[in-house]
């Protein structure tokens, strides 16, 4: 679902207005966060990254990148 939503968000549009740039940042953060969450769903990656700051950083990326970018757009 993340890949399909990302394709829909990234296709078309120009980045001439500041609002479009924030929307593009939001879409890029959504894509990066979704792919990172998908990667940590694998058992081998989760066993290494579970007790690190990666999960907190992923939550921050989702919160600050996606939500804040969407609100500014």
């Amino acid at each position: 679902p993340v890949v399909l939503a990302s394709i829909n968000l990234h296709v078309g549009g120009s980045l001439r207005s500041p609002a479009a740039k924030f929307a593009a940042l939001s879409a890029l953060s959504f894509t990066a966060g979704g792919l990172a969450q998908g990667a940590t769903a694998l058992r081998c990656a989760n066993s290494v990254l579970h007790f690190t700051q990666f999960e907190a950083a992923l939550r921050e990326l989702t919160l600050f990148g996606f939500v804040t970018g969407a609100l500014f757009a």
Side-chain angles (χ1 to χ4, degrees):
V2 171
V3 174
L4 294 176
S6 299
I7 290 171
N8 286 331
L9 290 173
H10 292 292
V11 172
S14 63
L15 297 176
R16 296 178 192 227
S17 70
K21 291 179 183 178
F22 279 114
L25 171 72
S26 178
L28 184 65
S29 297
F30 176 75
T31 304
L35 292 176
Q37 286 179 352
T40 57
L42 300 172
R43 184 176 297 225
C44 59
N46 193 17
S47 66
V48 173
L49 296 173
H50 183 66
F51 293 112
T52 64
Q53 293 294 323
F54 185 76
E55 291 182 14
L58 189 58
R59 192 171 41 248
E60 299 273 329
L61 170 73
T62 304
L63 177 67
F64 291 130
F66 176 65
V67 175
T68 307
L71 289 175
F72 278 126

